[in-house]
Structure formats: structure tokens, C-alpha cells
Amino acid sequence: MTKDFDYYNTLLVQSVGAKTGPIAPTVVPSAAYGYADAQEAEGIFAGEVNKPLYARVGNPTNGKLEGIVAKMEGGFGAIATASGMGALAMVTTAMLKAGDEVLCIGGFFGGTYTLVNETLKRFGVSNSFCEVDDFAHIEAKLKAGVKMVLMESVGNPSLRLPDIKRIADLCNTYETLLVVDNTATPLLVRPLELGADIVVHSSTKNMSGHSAALGGIAVFRAVKAEGDKLHNEKYADLHKIVNKMGHKAFIPICKKRAIRDVGMTANAFGSFLTMLGLETLSLRVERVNKSVARVAQILEENLPEGIEVNHPSLAKSEDHARYLSDFPNGCGPLMTIDCGTPERAFAFLNALNMATLTANIGDNRTLALHMQSTIYSDFDAATRKFLGVTEGLIRVSIGLEDPEEIAKDFLQAAEVL
Ligand code: PLP
């Protein structure tokens, strides 16, 4: 069940703070941890004693963050990573091997696109990409045995909204892992409840809000004793861990097959800073999502011809109906402004007084960036088209400022064009 902002306000402040001793989360920076005796060391390495082993595979400060985010997403457990890309790299490298195929649905952040289409490909994992509503392609690929389906809850920057429930139902029918990047929509959708297996976040974004901590996190469901898709022959190379670790299996799969060997681990201070952000996440998400819709509406009504705002809250958006039905509290901080050409986009950005020009999203401040000349500068025209990156496209991430003032700033910048 979707929870309301009051539920999350209570959950998050109560879980981040302690009642006795230090109220703020404790930062444990130690890289190594002593074991009481040889037997305890053996138990820790076997996963039977729940104590820190070595900071590359876990740390108490990360552990606190992982517990809170797992609860927030309605999951069984979580693993914090060095960045959002670290979380995606962990999940994909842990679950996939040469010869497997991953199906990518909808729009993707540039780093995720290149992770799949360049890095994983170099290691023998093939891929196919399709539009959010291409259910014929999705079902054909599932039938043919793809090993993982990957999608963003809201395409960044395409703003396409997938039907997460319908895709999850298909993945469950064909016993295929579904990974949803929920970076843009924490608290707004809970993909695990809709049937996904793994949720990943770049916690650098909305969760922190302050741009002071690079981080990521993956959240997992519990593995079922009977009839779990991980028991399917397709996942035979995971069976040794699944049979030994039962309902917890996603955690040791990622720790033993990615974190241990590749080391994309979160650091304790970063996790501490992320928890400070989490305390106010619900207040911020509620405000920002109201503001995005308000700013989009003002711009839609007042921008001059030749410059176009896009957001699913607008009636003209192709995903407006899905926005109303599946994203009742909003679909995150992003909207786009298309100025038509790169030259006009540069002039518009350079005339802004309020927005910070940067590559981040989900910040407490309003941010803006021209897509083609930055994150997507390495991409060919066909890929950019698929990802919704037009020549004059500016991605905007709305912050906590007064929405009327944000809109005023965009409108005055439009006057220079
Ligand atoms: N996923 C999405 C949707 C993003 O926007 C980003 C942004 O950078 C990432 C993943 C990667 O996160 P990070 O920058 O923390 O590695």
C-alpha cells in the first residue's frame, strides 16, 4: 500500500534518531573489525554471526542506513553503495554473466545506458531497449529468456512513466528479475509492492537533498522458500547461495558476487550524511512535487512560442493519464524545457538567475542543464532520440524555493530568446 507523507515523516525521523546515547547516527570509520575468537571469525565469514567483517563488505553506519531505506521501500534488506552507479553495477554484475541478456525499458539516465550498452556488453552481456509501452517486445523478450529487466520509475530526462505493475506482473509470469531505479520517486512509488524484485537509488539525489554525499543503495525483497523465481534454471549459477541463505539470499548474492570482488561499498561518513537528508525527505518530497506541477503549469500558460515545457502533470503529456492514476503525489523533481536549438538553450540557461547549472537532480536548490552538450555529448543521434534528448532540451530539477519565484526566473530568461 502506498503510504502518505505523514507516515514517512514519522518513520524517517524516528528511525534516524536514537532515543538514548548519541541521538544523531554514529559514524564508525574503522576499516577493520576485531573478532572475539577464531570461532567468531568463522561464524562472521559464514554469515551466521551478525557482526562487522571488514568495511568493504559492510559497516555499522551503512547498516543503519540500509535498515531505514529497506523499511522505507517495504523491502527485506538493503546494501548501501558508493554511488547510484555503484548500486546499478552491483546488482547487474552480481546477477548477470556472459551470455545473458538484459532488457531495458523506457528512458534512461546516461550512466545507466552506458553501463548496459558499453560496460556490460564488453563483458558479454547483451541487451535490448524498448519504449515503455511496447508490451509486445517486452513479452517476446521475456518468453525468449532474458535474465533481467531494468527500468527507471520515471525516465530521466525523457519523463516517460512506465506501467510498473503491468511490467512487474509480466516479469513474475516469466520468472524474470525486475530492477527498478526509483531515484526520482522515493516515497512516491514503492516498486517492490508492485512486484519488482530489486529497487535501486542514487541517494546522492532526493534522499540526501544537500549534494554533500555521493551514494547509492539497492533494496531487495525476501526470497520465498517455495516457488521463487530465483529457483528457475535460468538462475542456476545463483542456486548455491539461494539454497544456503534462503530468504536472505539477495544480500549475500550481491556481497559475494559484486561488493567483495569489486568494492563499490558506501563509506560511513557518506551514509551518515545521507541519513541526515532522510530525516527531512518526506517534507521535501511533498513540497517539491507540488512545486513542480505549479511551475509547469505557470510555464505552460506563459512561455512564448518556440519554447516548450514538458511534465506529466500537464494535460498535453502522453503520460498524463498514468501520472494521475499511478503517481497521485507526483513523479519527482524533474521537468524539461525545450528551447528548440542548442544556441537558444545556452542563451536561456545563461540568463537564469536562480537555477544552478549542474549535473545533479533532486537537490534542495533548483538545478538546470542542457542535455545534448553535457551528459549525452558522447551519444549518437539515434540513441539520443530514443532517450528523448532533443537538441534544445534543458532538464530542470525543481528545488525548495518559492515556486512562483522559480517560474518568474524561467519566464524572464525566456524573454532573451
Ligand atoms: N540513476 C538515475 C536515475 C540518476 O539520475 C543518476 C544520476 O546520476 C544515477 C542513477 C547515478 O547516480 P550517481 O550519480 O549517484 O552514481
Side-chain angles (χ1 to χ4, degrees):
M1 278 252 305
T2 307
K3 312 281 189 188
D4 64 16
F5 291 120
D6 282 338
Y7 166 85
Y8 288 116
N9 272 315
T10 306
L11 172 78
L12 292 169
V13 292
Q14 288 287 320
S15 346
V16 172
K19 288 277 187 318
T20 55
I23 287 178
T26 311
V27 183
V28 181
S30 189
Y33 296 85
Y35 317 126
D37 50 33
Q39 286 79 357
E40 183 176 88
E42 185 183 36
I44 290 172
F45 273 74
E48 286 151 11
V49 175
N50 189 18
K51 285 193 177 173
L53 186 155
Y54 179 72
R56 181 165 16 86
V57 288
N59 137 312
T61 311
N62 294 354
K64 182 162 172 99
L65 170 66
E66 288 160 355
I68 297 167
V69 177
K71 230 191 254 177
M72 184 185 108
E73 280 288 0
F76 162 76
I79 300 178
T81 52
S83 66
M85 287 318 301
L88 284 154
M90 173 182 74
V91 164
T92 50
T93 53
M95 304 287 167
L96 302 171
K97 60 176 172 35
D100 289 340
E101 180 173 343
V102 55
L103 168 63
C104 301
I105 301 176
F108 279 95
F109 162 65
T112 312
Y113 186 88
T114 49
L115 168 69
V116 171
N117 205 38
E118 292 185 14
T119 304
L120 291 177
K121 208 178 193 178
R122 268 195 283 121
F123 288 91
V125 175
S126 62
N127 63 64
S128 108
F129 283 77
C130 73
E131 298 289 349
V132 273
D133 285 339
D134 191 351
F135 294 105
H137 180 90
I138 295 170
E139 192 154 10
K141 283 288 172 186
L142 288 167
K143 260 189 201 156
V146 294
K147 193 87 168 276
M148 176 182 283
V149 174
L150 185 57
M151 67 187 185
E152 292 182 353
S153 57
V154 178
N156 167 14
S158 71
L159 297 177
R160 289 306 314 268
L161 303 179
D163 184 339
I164 301 174
K165 175 81 173 63
R166 182 164 169 191
I167 294 168
D169 286 349
L170 280 169
C171 289
N172 289 326
T173 303
Y174 292 97
E175 301 198 320
T176 304
L177 287 170
L178 173 61
V179 180
V180 179
D181 183 336
N182 205 21
T183 296
T185 46
L187 316 189
L188 298 168
V189 281
R190 301 225 289 182
L192 296 178
E193 281 177 358
L194 298 174
D197 302 289
I198 302 174
V199 166
V200 296
H201 284 273
S202 163
S203 60
T204 321
K205 314 289 189 298
N206 304 272
M207 275 193 202
S208 289
H210 41 53
S211 277
L214 185 73
I217 194 158
V219 188
F220 310 93
R221 65 170 175 84
V223 175
K224 295 186 282 256
E226 304 270 325
D228 196 284
K229 66 175 75 166
L230 282 187
H231 299 144
N232 187 300
E233 262 315 292
K234 208 159 47 181
Y235 301 108
D237 61 317
L238 306 177
H239 285 173
K240 195 168 143 210
I241 301 177
V242 174
N243 294 339
K244 179 161 179 230
M245 301 308 290
H247 68 290
K248 299 184 201 165
F250 277 113
I251 305 275
I253 288 171
C254 286
K255 289 212 168 173
K256 283 184 188 292
R257 290 168 56 105
I259 286 265
R260 181 188 66 187
D261 300 351
V262 192
M264 61 286 273
T265 321
N267 75 80
F269 191 62
S271 293
F272 164 75
L273 290 173
T274 303
M275 283 189 270
L276 297 190
L278 278 179
E279 287 194 336
T280 56
L281 180 64
S282 189
L283 285 176
R284 291 184 286 109
V285 167
E286 183 173 15
R287 174 172 173 87
V288 163
N289 278 275
K290 282 193 184 129
S291 294
V292 183
R294 175 74 188 128
V295 174
Q297 182 205 354
I298 297 173
L299 297 188
E300 174 68 357
E301 286 165 7
N302 295 287
L303 277 174
E305 194 114 325
I307 173 164
E308 180 116 9
V309 59
N310 180 31
H311 186 261
S313 63
L314 299 172
K316 69 178 185 190
S317 159
E318 61 187 320
D319 288 320
H320 184 58
R322 193 164 287 152
Y323 174 82
L324 295 176
S325 60
D326 295 5
F327 296 82
N329 293 318
C331 64
L334 300 181
M335 55 180 233
T336 56
I337 297 175
D338 196 338
C339 298
T341 66
E343 294 73 25
R344 282 165 56 83
F346 276 36
F348 179 84
L349 284 170
N350 291 342
L352 289 171
N353 296 315
M354 190 181 275
T356 303
L357 309 194
T358 185
N360 202 14
I361 62 168
D363 193 277
N364 294 338
R365 291 146 285 259
T366 293
L367 316 175
L369 193 67
H370 179 238
M371 293 286 95
Q372 180 181 278
S373 60
T374 59
I375 295 172
Y376 298 89
S377 58
D378 278 351
F379 290 50
D380 61 37
T383 308
R384 280 195 206 124
K385 184 161 187 265
F386 171 73
L387 295 173
V389 177
T390 50
E391 283 192 356
L393 194 77
I394 290 169
R395 180 184 71 191
V396 172
S397 176
I398 297 293
L400 297 174
E401 305 93 338
D402 177 353
E404 308 293 325
E405 292 297 320
I406 301 170
K408 219 187 267 177
D409 192 28
F410 287 133
L411 290 175
Q412 69 76 26
E415 281 174 20
V416 306
L417 299 185

